[in-house]
């Protein structure tokens, strides 16, 4: 999806029936047989959780129950710069310690060998979960297949991977960007599910609402932002539409609005609604960051993580 259509908040829809896993935009396809922790203080990546000094033998009881993951959950984080491991550690810790972020949602791609291993190490050290991404790009290049294979190899071989990787996003708006047709995308998602099932890592995609509707999916499955100029939340039937701000003042008002709706998000049927701020810094995507290009906060940003 081209950057001028990116929203400033990506919404994370949480499902809590049985042992369900969080979903982003559409239902996740993946394992649902992992045990979830009952106490927020004892689960990853809850605020206050301390990482162990060893790698656990199982993810049973490791992940927090999705019903606790409403309101602000973290940042989108662009990786085209191929940040060093030290930069990843520093900025992930900033997301965690200054902004109380619990997750980092990767955006873009870095094709440097070992990069996702660095992401895993940084996430472990900072105590943040990761929404990994198979990035297609905008030029119809088949390089996404190499990225998919490398990511899956890392997930299977790095012992910490399944303890920080909450899910894998199979593309970012792949239907909107016309990189795969519906049938091919569906088969790829199911194949990814089978590949990652023994790790307990579910698979999802991020997509424009119009593409889901065009593919015959129900509006009730969607939570999406738009590029309207107004700052408001519209609730109609079973859909939520979030408007996007158009300047720094509107950006601040927009996030204040999301923060003010914490109590509403907590009670939305299905386990609540959580949201990401897109994006961490203007150096990653000009105009969209919480930090400007000089690493100054453009406005006060300390949204609630619970209410």
């Amino acid at each position: 999806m081209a950057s001028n259509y990116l929203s400033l908040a990506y919404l994370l829809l949480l499902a809590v029936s049985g042992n369900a896993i969080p979903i982003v935009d559409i239902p996740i396809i993946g394992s649902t047989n992992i045990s979830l922790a009952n106490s927020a203080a004892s689960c990853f990546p809850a605020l206050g959780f301390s990482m162990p000094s060893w790698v656990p033998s199982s993810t049973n009881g490791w992940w927090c129950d999705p019903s606790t993951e409403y309101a602000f959950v973290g940042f989108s984080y662009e990786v085209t710069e191929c940040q060093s491991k030290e930069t990843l550690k520093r900025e992930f810790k900033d997301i965690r310690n200054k902004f109380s972020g619990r997750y980092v949602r990767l955006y873009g791609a870095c094709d440097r060998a070992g990069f996702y291993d660095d992401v895993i190490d940084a996430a472990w050290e900072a105590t943040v979960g990761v929404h990994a991404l198979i990035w297609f790009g905008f030029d119809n290049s088949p390089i996404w297949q190499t990225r998919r294979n490398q990511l899956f190899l890392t997930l299977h071989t790095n012992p910490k991977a399944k303890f920080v990787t909450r899910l894998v996003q199979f593309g970012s708006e792949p239907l909107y960007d016309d990189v795969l047709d519906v049938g091919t995308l569906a088969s790829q998602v199911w194949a990814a599910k089978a590949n990652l099932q023994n790790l307990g890592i579910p698979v999802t995609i991020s997509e424009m609402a119009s593409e889901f509707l065009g593919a015959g999916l129900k509006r009730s499955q969607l939570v999406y932002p738009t590029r309207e100029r107004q700052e408001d939340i519209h609730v109609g039937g079973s859909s939520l539409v979030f408007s996007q701000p158009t300047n720094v003042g509107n950006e601040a008002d927009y996030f204040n609005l999301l923060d003010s709706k914490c109590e509403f998000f907590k009670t939305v049927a299905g386990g609540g609604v959580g949201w990401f701020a897109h994006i961490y810094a203007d150096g990653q995507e000009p105009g969209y960051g919480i930090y400007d290009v000089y690493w100054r906060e453009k406005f006060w940003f300390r949204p609630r993580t619970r209410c």
Side-chain angles (χ1 to χ4, degrees), residues 50 57 76 105 107 109 132 136 153 171 180 186 190 222 239 264 267 278:
S50 296
S57 59
S76 292
R105 176 190 181 271
Y107 186 76
F136 287 88
L153 177 63
L180 291 178
W190 282 107
L222 306 174
S239 65
F264 168 72
T267 60
H278 186 94

Side-chain angles (χ1 to χ4, degrees), residues 59-80:
T59 55
N60 286 336
W62 176 258
W63 293 102
C64 293
D65 191 293
S67 65
T68 67
E69 296 182 333
Y70 59 89
F72 174 69
V73 294
F75 286 91
S76 292
Y77 185 89
E78 222 272 356
V79 297
T80 305

Side-chain angles (χ1 to χ4, degrees), residues 26-27 29 170 184-194 203-205:
I26 63 169
I29 298 174
F170 206 98
T184 302
L185 177 61
S187 65
Q188 286 290 331
V189 170
W190 282 107
K193 173 211 169 181
V203 181
T204 186
I205 65 171

Side-chain angles (χ1 to χ4, degrees), residues 132 134 151-152 155 165-170 196 201-204:
I134 300 168
L151 175 62
F152 289 177
L155 292 175
T165 306
R166 188 54 156 140
L167 56 85
V168 170
Q169 304 164 95
F170 206 98
L196 301 176
I201 299 175
V203 181
T204 186

